[in-house]
Amino acid sequence: MPSIFSRIISRDIPGYIVAEDDNYLAFLDINPLAEGHTLVIPKLEVDYIFDLEDEVLAGLHVFAKKVARGIEKVVPCERIGVTVIGLEVPHAHVHLIPINGVHDMDFSQMKLSFSNEEFAEIAKKIKAAIEEG
Ligand code: 5GP
């Protein structure tokens, strides 16, 4: 059974994709802590991030950096927080979250909800900002 994230990679289920290359994908978190909350994944389906090969793990972070630069151009924030939890979806992923303080990284707080149109609009802006470089 492919993970829910592998199903986003294969376009089996929809995702608000903001960046993609041969090895990595970035898309909006469907239950975001903040506008622009993005997940960055390797296309290779491995559950635990520290089971990734060194090269894949390093590449994931380099790819995340490019994505974070795009998010910060679109979403006003002090910086982009980076975290890995991985307790829910067994496919390694990095959370990129626009933050203004440490409380913005608190996963126990209420998640935001956006309409499909709002998610699509945020994704479009972030994608354009990443492509601009
Ligand atoms: P974690 O595994 O890091 O504890 O949490 C998984 C994250 O993936 C959560 O923030 C959750 O909102 C997000 N998530 C779970 N299912 C989906 C999905 O189908 N699509 C997207 N875009 N995000 C998801």
Side-chain angles (χ1 to χ4, degrees), residues 64-94:
K65 174 181 171 180
K66 198 171 75 165
V67 175
R69 292 292 188 215
I71 300 169
E72 65 195 10
K73 278 194 209 160
V74 172
V75 182
C77 60
E78 196 163 311
R79 56 181 56 202
I80 303 298
V82 184
T83 195
V84 174
I85 299 178
L87 291 172
E88 184 187 325
V89 177
H91 185 144
H93 53 281
V94 171

Side-chain angles (χ1 to χ4, degrees), residues 4-5 8 13-16 27-32 37 39 84-91 93 95 107 111:
I4 195 101
F5 292 168
I8 292 175
I13 61 167
Y16 299 99
F27 51 95
L28 298 181
D29 192 304
I30 208 72
N31 291 305
H37 180 167
L39 302 174
V84 174
I85 299 178
L87 291 172
E88 184 187 325
V89 177
H91 185 144
H93 53 281
H95 293 260
F107 275 75
K111 304 298 188 314

